[in-house]
Amino acid sequence: MAELAPKVAAWIENAVGGRIDRADRILAGGRYGWYIDVKDASGAVRELFLQQSRTEAGDPGRSSFNSSRLEGEIYSALHPHIPVPRAWGVNEEIGGFLVDRIPGVAWMHPPADPDEQLSVAQDFIRHIAKLHTLDPDALELPSYKPVKSAREHQLDRLRVFRAQAESGGEPIEPMLRISLEFLENNIPDYDGPVVLVQGDTGPGNLMYRDGKVTGIIDWELAHLGDPMDDIAWMCWRTVQHTFTDFAARMREYEALSGHRIDVDRVDYYRVNAFVVLCAASSSQAGGFGLPGMTEDSGDSGAARSASAESERFADGSAFAMTTLHRRMRLTALADALKIALPPRRVRGEAPARPEYASYDDLLDRMRVIVPEIGDAMATRHAKGLVRKLKHLKELSRNGALFDGFELDNIARLLGNRPASLGKGRAALYRAALAGTISDKDYILYHWDRLVHDEHLMQYASGTLSRRDWPALY
């Protein structure tokens, strides 16, 4: 809805007691919400946020994402204990809940001042440690009762994930199947306290001001389970947004929470996080961190550049982030399965050609133009154009060569050389579904493909290409 519906506005005014003075729709964390200002009879203004959920289902067993009712329930239960916004009410008809708007900014990038980075990070760890000391039985969370063992809660979630993966009637995408089977067969032998897990916690889902956390946001993946589940999510978000000295923060977490960091359990839940996102998106594994493997996914560099054109974000950062997600998924799964991945080295490069200098000329011109653009959105689009030019420069040199390397790899695995790369990918996919190639070989194929694709993205990705899972110790 482009404007706030009258019945929604009436519900907000009744819940808070006042008249709406402002209602601006925004995109926050991949889902829509509204900045709402309500003025009371005295003229005082209360700043609110109307968050819309991704699902209106009220049953936590039917979706990885919580409904508005469930998420609102969590906000109300936690508000007395850690900095989450006060909840004013839930409107299940629109799939939304109303909370106080939190002052501060989200940690999508670290604060500029290193001292503030450290202060905010340590404050956040204090709050997550406090969350993990709360007894779920003592919290007002009726929809999440009864509290069972961590193993039982994980089994419940895995049943949901498998049902979602099988719901389309098609065979489960091989990488998702491998991940699910690993999770089902290796549930950690943990019999310690069950905690409320935020899910998707860490930098990016916290607000801060003046060196302190003002609010922990986004509880749509919250559930009961193992505290290491949250540590795994924190690892993932740290790769994306960085988060000071992670190992030092883990020592602080241990001291404050009483929960020892267990590397094997964290490794397990790193894989789990990707399955959660696949299940949540209802897109199987291809929707998160894997390239297309069907014949119509295209041959050579054309498919790669086309994926850049479909980018949702003007500055092209998600284009680069997709490649990082692929590496995170593969390294997490390989670590869990004890598969040694080869070094991130390409097999060779094509010789540079004189016409490649045209890209450098265009990039030099963009360096002059971009700082002179006054409009913020136009600047973001220009930065996205720079990213794509950098990628196209590398693609024009090495795209066809790397496609040949991939086709050689596919031919080796299949025992015959397909007529084209698209046909080869589709044939390899069918072989993985049928089990005629091993899971290890399939993972190593994707790793080899990722290494070459990442090389093509290295300049467009910038620092993202150098990030990796943080050390726990």
Side-chain angles (χ1 to χ4, degrees), residues 128-391:
I128 292 298
K130 175 68 179 295
L131 171 69
H132 289 175
T133 63
L134 299 176
D135 179 2
D137 260 325
L139 294 171
E140 290 296 318
L141 293 171
S143 300
Y144 291 85
K145 306 295 176 64
V147 178
K148 298 180 281 189
S149 69
R151 178 181 178 81
E152 289 173 306
H153 283 297
Q154 177 64 2
L155 279 170
D156 289 343
R157 287 168 60 76
L158 290 174
R159 280 190 283 267
V160 171
F161 301 157
R162 180 164 286 280
Q164 289 172 319
E166 295 174 345
S167 62
E170 298 293 326
I172 300 177
E173 189 280 328
M175 291 289 282
L176 179 55
R177 173 190 57 77
I178 295 167
S179 301
L180 267 173
E181 289 176 354
F182 164 76
L183 294 174
E184 291 166 339
N185 296 327
N186 294 276
I187 298 176
D189 185 20
Y190 167 71
D191 60 359
V194 170
V195 305
L196 179 63
V197 175
Q198 181 185 3
D200 204 13
T201 194
N205 279 334
L206 65 93
M207 306 283 290
Y208 70 90
R209 173 180 283 181
D210 299 328
K212 296 292 183 183
V213 172
T214 56
I216 300 174
I217 57 175
D218 195 348
W219 295 77
E220 63 179 341
L221 290 173
H223 58 279
L224 300 182
D226 187 332
M228 293 303 105
D229 194 340
D230 260 347
I231 301 303
W233 278 107
M234 209 181 302
C235 290
W236 179 64
R237 297 200 68 88
T238 293
V239 178
Q240 291 190 132
H241 304 297
T242 71
F243 199 55
T244 71
D245 183 337
F246 197 81
R249 303 291 80 74
M250 292 301 95
R251 301 290 74 71
E252 293 162 0
Y253 169 85
E254 287 184 326
L256 291 165
S257 70
H259 297 290
R260 184 180 62 83
I261 298 297
D262 185 316
V263 175
D264 289 338
R265 281 157 58 206
V266 173
D267 285 351
Y268 174 91
Y269 284 108
R270 291 193 315 184
V271 177
N272 190 72
F274 287 99
V275 173
V276 169
L277 290 171
C278 291
S281 65
S282 301
S283 60
Q284 290 214 17
F288 194 86
L290 281 178
M293 286 296 290
T294 58
E295 188 168 338
D296 61 3
S297 65
D299 286 5
S300 74
R304 297 191 183 100
S305 59
S307 70
E309 294 305 320
S310 67
E311 210 29 76
R312 290 186 305 156
F313 303 107
D315 69 356
S317 57
F319 178 35
M321 193 66 76
T322 298
T323 308
L324 177 63
H325 285 165
R326 287 169 59 191
R327 177 155 52 83
M328 291 169 66
R329 182 189 182 105
L330 287 165
T331 51
L333 188 56
D335 285 348
L337 295 174
K338 311 302 182 190
I339 295 173
L341 295 173
R344 288 169 60 197
R345 270 198 309 270
V346 299
R347 302 183 210 176
E349 292 193 84
R353 297 169 61 93
E355 57 266 31
Y356 297 160
S358 297
Y359 286 103
D360 294 325
D361 178 55
L362 290 171
L363 289 167
D364 286 341
R365 294 186 188 195
M366 292 301 295
R367 290 187 188 97
V368 175
I369 293 170
V370 173
E372 300 302 319
I373 300 174
D375 180 77
M377 180 55 72
T379 299
R380 284 196 288 273
H381 277 288
K383 289 180 178 179
L385 179 60
V386 168
R387 281 185 189 271
K388 291 171 187 178
L389 281 172
K390 289 178 177 179
H391 178 238

Side-chain angles (χ1 to χ4, degrees), residues 13-30:
E13 291 176 341
N14 183 63
V16 180
R19 303 292 295 176
I20 292 178
D21 191 52
R22 171 200 178 196
D24 294 332
R25 192 185 192 208
I26 67 162
L27 182 62

